[in-house]
Every structure is written in structure tokens, then in C-alpha cells.
Amino acid sequence: MVEGGIAKPDKAEFSECWKTTWKTPYIMRLSLSAGIGGLLFGYDTGVISGALLYIREDFQQVEKKTWLQEVIVSMAVAGAIFGAAFGGWINDRFGRKPSILVADILFFVGAIVMALAPAPWMIIIGRIFVGLGVGMASMTAPLYISEASPARIRGALVSTNGLLITGGQFLSYLINLAFTHAPGTWRWMLGVAGLPAVVQFFFMLSLPESPRWLYRRNKVEEARSILEKIYPANEVESELIALRTSIEAEKADEQATGDNFIAKMKGALSNVVVRRGLYAGVTVQVAQQFSGINTVMYYSPTIVQFAGFASNKTALALSLITSGLNAVGSIVSMAFVDRYGRRRMMIVSMFGIISCLVILSIVFFQAGSHAPKISQLESTHFATNATCPSFLSA
């Protein structure tokens, strides 16, 4: 729980956010420096879709074995699962800032390993490193932003992290398109992710720890000095009081349940409000991830090629539409989520996702059903100029 909660990001708050950050640039510096983690999150999850086209060209075994392609793509997701869990522990034990710094190191190492990979297994190892960084960044970046921003504009600043994620995915498609004719192609695509990681690492070195984490570690004066840079002088004391009240209540709950994880879960689930919120949150997240839209994002250029556009460059260019609409959707949701409500926006978006995926599956099924059969035996009965020579010699 963050002191003061997370305010709803309505239109007034976004204008208030602009005014506040204009008067206090330090707030925007904190938020954008941490938000680079969201940008890296989006870039590393989106860049593989275009890079995979050229990885298949360089490594014959990847071209022939679809399971190897799937492993290269999915290892980042698998690493993110462990990265999120590990990042949560680092957040509590060592602070938010060290967690972001470790995530940057993982991003950078993963990018270098993939860029220099001599074989597919090295790409997989690099993807695991990147996945660990993605998991830690997705856990820590919004937490740091929420704890290092004023309560009245907290919702607006935290929501920008989601925009940076989709913006990072769009940027990855642009980078992919830019390096289509460069020597090394996919190596540059995957290696570029190391640059934002380095930038964020040095930015974070000059930034403080979360004031909430410092206060919880009894570093009250350090927390006060940070709050004085974020809040007006007349609001610092009231914010410290809210911070103390929130942390004392949190510690009281911990003393009541102890360190037993099962006891903590039982205590949380016994609260009707917490239980309903947990059910809603888990259901929404599971529905979002299992809807299948991530598959479209990861394999968008490949899907475009299946549709008949053989050129890698053309496939990447057309995939910009998908990633661009994804980023636009984030802006639309930020603008209308408080006007029409979370539930309505969620239902409309899920209906759109499911409808489009059903249409996509029907199109692929029809294409597969009506496609002409191709085999070595049937090809020998066609005229020489009607059969692909490469197929006969393969």
C-alpha cells in the first residue's frame, strides 16, 4: 500500500500532472528515469518478432525446427516469471533502486550475448537474461514511480509506464525496419536494447531510493529530504504523517501474521474487500495473458508473411500497423478509462481481441484447407517450369 493511495488518472489529473512536473522537474526526472524500464520491457518483448525472420535465414536449424523458434521467443517470458519473483524479494530486502540497477545489468548482458551469439543456444541464453530483466523491471518500475511521486498525480505518472511499454514495442518495430539492410541485421536489432539499459543505469545512480522504503528502514531524515524535493514545503509534514501511518499499519499486520506466508494469505483472504480485489485482479491478468494477443505481437511479421507478403522488409513495415495501434490503444485507454469506467473498457477491449483472433484463426484455417498440396511425388508430375527448382533439390 502506498501512502495516500493511487489517485484515479482523470482529465483534470493529467493537466495537473503537466503543471506539477513543469514546476518541479525533479518529479519528471524520477518518473522518466524509472520509466525507461517499461520502454525496455516493451522493446525486448517486441523486437524478437522481426529479428526472428533474419535469425531463421542465418541458422538453418532454426528455419527447419519450429520448436526452436518457439523456444527463442518464449524464453524471455519464462525468464520474466522468475525475474518478477526475484525482483520482489530484492525490492523488499535491498530497495527499489538496486532492483532497477540489477535489471539494467541483465538487460545489457542479455543484449550483448544475443548480438554476439554464434549459435541459437546463445540467443536462448541471452533471451533468458533479458527475460529476468523484464520481470524485474515490470515489478519495480511502476512501484518506484508510485512511491516517488505526489499522491494527486500518482495515477497519471504510473499510467505512463504502460504507455512506455507499448511505445517500446512500437520502437522495436521501427528499429527492426531500420536495420533490414544493415550487415548483421538481427544482431543490431537485439543489441540496440543495451543502450537504453546503460542510459537508465547511469540515470538511476544519481537518483535516490524510494522515500517509503527509506522510512520503513528508519531512515527518516533521508526520506524527508527526498519528500522536500517532491512536495511543496507546506505538504511535507502531512506526507510524512501519512507515510508513518501507512507503514505502522503494515508492520502491525506483519506482526499479527508473522513471516508465515500461508498465514499472511489466510489473513488477506479473510478480508472480503481484499479477497474480491484479488479475484478481480488475478482474473483480469489471466484473461489478458491467455487471450492470445501476445502471440500476435511476438509473431506479427511471420503472420504477415503467411498472408502472402514474402519480403521481410514488407512484413516488418506492415507489422508497424499492429504495434502502432497497440500504442494508440494505450493512449485511448488513458484518456477514457475514467470517463467510461474500467469494467466497460475491459469488456470492450476483450470483445475486440477475441473477435479479431477468431477471424484470424478462421482465415488461417481456410487458407490451410484450400492450399494446394505440395510433395516430392506430386511435384515430379508437373512441368519443369511449374515447380520450384529449390524444392526439387531440397
Side-chain angles (χ1 to χ4, degrees):
M1 177 64 70
V2 180
E3 67 282 358
I6 296 181
K8 295 191 296 183
D10 54 19
K11 292 192 298 181
E13 187 185 349
F14 281 109
S15 60
E16 176 68 18
C17 178
W18 173 254
K19 293 178 182 178
T20 302
T21 53
W22 181 261
K23 293 179 181 178
T24 314
Y26 187 73
I27 299 174
M28 184 58 69
R29 180 184 170 191
L30 290 172
S31 300
L32 289 181
S33 296
I36 296 176
L39 185 74
L40 283 166
F41 178 178
Y43 184 90
D44 281 304
T45 55
V47 70
I48 194 63
S49 61
L52 188 63
L53 302 180
Y54 296 93
I55 292 174
R56 293 196 314 232
E57 292 181 354
D58 282 5
F59 299 109
Q60 193 173 14
Q61 61 267 44
V62 177
E63 175 66 28
K64 291 183 176 181
K65 300 175 182 178
T66 55
W67 66 265
L68 195 53
Q69 300 175 29
E70 294 162 3
V71 169
I72 291 174
V73 173
S74 61
M75 277 301 100
V77 182
I81 297 174
F82 294 97
F86 187 58
W89 177 76
I90 293 180
N91 281 330
D92 291 336
R93 185 70 181 272
F94 302 104
R96 290 40 164 158
K97 181 178 174 179
S99 182
I100 294 177
L101 294 175
V102 172
D104 288 330
I105 294 173
L106 291 170
F107 276 125
F108 181 77
V109 171
I112 297 302
V113 169
M114 289 187 294
L116 302 177
W121 65 269
M122 283 289 288
I123 301 176
I124 294 173
I125 292 176
R127 291 286 290 171
I128 293 174
F129 275 104
V130 164
L132 291 171
V134 165
M136 294 182 67
S138 63
M139 170 68 69
T140 310
L143 181 63
Y144 182 88
I145 294 172
S146 66
E147 293 180 347
S149 58
R152 62 181 177 274
I153 61 170
R154 184 170 294 145
L157 289 175
V158 172
S159 63
T160 57
N161 186 68
L163 178 61
L164 286 170
I165 292 175
T166 55
Q169 291 177 329
F170 181 69
L171 177 64
S172 70
Y173 283 86
L174 287 176
I175 296 295
N176 284 344
L177 191 60
F179 286 111
T180 51
H181 295 298
T185 54
W186 61 270
R187 298 183 185 275
W188 285 104
M189 296 173 183
L190 299 175
V192 163
L195 294 179
V198 172
V199 171
Q200 185 182 40
F201 184 87
F202 285 105
F203 277 178
M204 290 303 301
L205 286 177
S206 63
L207 294 178
E209 180 54 77
S210 158
R212 178 179 177 82
W213 187 87
L214 291 171
Y215 198 101
R216 185 176 171 82
R217 293 298 184 277
N218 298 318
K219 299 179 180 180
V220 180
E221 291 305 316
E222 290 185 42
R224 179 192 293 273
S225 65
I226 298 170
L227 292 176
E228 288 175 348
K229 297 179 181 180
I230 298 174
Y231 288 89
N234 61 333
E235 296 181 16
V236 174
E237 288 302 324
S238 61
E239 187 63 23
L240 279 171
I241 293 173
L243 193 60
R244 182 176 67 249
T245 303
S246 174
I247 291 176
E248 288 177 352
E250 187 178 294
K251 289 182 176 180
D253 290 338
E254 290 178 356
Q255 291 176 357
T257 58
D259 293 330
N260 192 322
F261 177 76
I262 297 177
K264 289 181 179 180
M265 287 298 297
K266 287 183 178 179
L269 293 175
S270 63
N271 188 312
V272 177
V273 176
V274 174
R275 186 170 64 248
R276 291 183 64 185
L278 181 63
Y279 289 161
V282 171
T283 301
V284 168
Q285 289 297 320
V286 170
Q288 182 185 38
Q289 296 302 315
F290 278 84
S291 66
I293 191 62
N294 287 339
T295 305
V296 176
M297 295 302 298
Y298 291 150
Y299 294 100
S300 182
T302 303
I303 292 173
V304 172
Q305 286 191 332
F306 284 159
F309 298 92
S311 169
N312 288 345
K313 185 175 181 179
T314 302
L316 289 172
L318 292 176
S319 297
L320 280 173
I321 299 174
T322 303
S323 60
L325 291 175
N326 186 40
V328 170
S330 298
I331 300 174
V332 172
S333 66
M334 290 170 62
F336 294 100
V337 68
D338 285 291
R339 181 179 300 178
Y340 297 107
R342 278 76 166 155
R343 181 174 177 270
R344 183 181 298 180
M345 292 289 289
M346 184 69 187
I347 292 174
V348 171
S349 62
M350 289 300 294
F351 178 79
I353 290 171
I354 294 172
S355 300
C356 292
L357 289 175
V358 168
I359 293 172
L360 190 63
S361 63
I362 292 174
V363 170
F364 272 104
F365 177 78
Q366 292 296 323
S369 300
H370 297 88
K373 295 181 179 180
I374 300 176
S375 68
Q376 182 70 44
L377 178 62
E378 291 173 335
S379 295
T380 56
H381 294 85
F382 293 118
T384 305
N385 61 351
T387 304
C388 177
S390 298
F391 180 83
L392 289 173
S393 61

